[in-house]
Amino acid sequence: MPFAGYTYSANQFKRMLSALRFTILSGTCLCFVLLVPFLWLAPAFVNVFTSDAQIMEGSVALLHAYAWGVPFMVLQMSMMCTFQATGSALCAMVVNLGRQCLFTIPFLYLFNRLWGLDGLLYAQMLSN
């Protein structure tokens, strides 16, 4: 995010926030567009590595769960990079660790208890 750093140091905060909004919106839209073929082709991706039906079933479910989380990662990554570019390393660290510590770990325990292995698959998606 060099652009965020340049606009921030030039005190052009509105321009930086406009660029951040554009990045989040365009990145999220692109991820949703690419989500469709990824979900549709998940069995073919898994089939490259194995032909075992049981492993394929679990792997396809895992890919589907993870794929649904990717569009929402745009917000977290954009915020983290913008904080880094503006010299707010502590805020960037809080955003990144907050996702891991505040959401992923509790969701892993809770969802595992509620839904077993399927819960572990969806804990990653929800925490993103």
Side-chain angles (χ1 to χ4, degrees):
M1 298 235 47
F3 185 77
Y6 297 145
T7 55
Y8 180 78
S9 63
N11 292 327
Q12 296 180 351
F13 304 117
K14 287 184 181 179
R15 189 173 183 191
M16 183 188 72
L17 291 176
S18 174
L20 178 62
R21 273 190 234 106
F22 175 77
T23 300
I24 291 170
L25 181 64
S26 61
T28 303
C29 289
L30 179 65
C31 284
F32 274 117
V33 167
L34 295 175
L35 176 72
V36 174
F38 190 80
L39 292 175
W40 185 61
L41 294 172
F45 291 147
V46 173
N47 195 31
V48 169
F49 299 101
T50 185
S51 59
D52 185 330
Q54 188 176 10
I55 293 175
M56 281 192 63
E57 181 182 332
S59 300
V60 168
L62 177 67
L63 282 175
H64 284 173
Y66 189 76
W68 279 106
V70 170
F72 303 103
M73 289 176 63
V74 172
L75 176 65
Q76 187 258 343
M77 292 294 183
S78 297
M79 287 177 51
M80 185 180 64
C81 290
T82 301
F83 282 137
Q84 287 177 345
T86 59
S88 301
L90 183 62
C91 291
M93 184 179 71
V94 168
V95 168
N96 192 34
L97 290 178
R99 181 178 65 94
Q100 293 298 322
C101 298
L102 295 177
F103 296 109
T104 303
I105 294 171
F107 285 161
L108 284 173
Y109 284 110
L110 176 66
F111 290 2
N112 184 39
R113 190 153 188 81
L114 293 175
W115 299 298
L117 182 60
D118 290 338
L120 295 176
L121 298 177
Y122 292 102
Q124 175 80 26
M125 180 194 71
L126 188 62
S127 67
N128 287 331

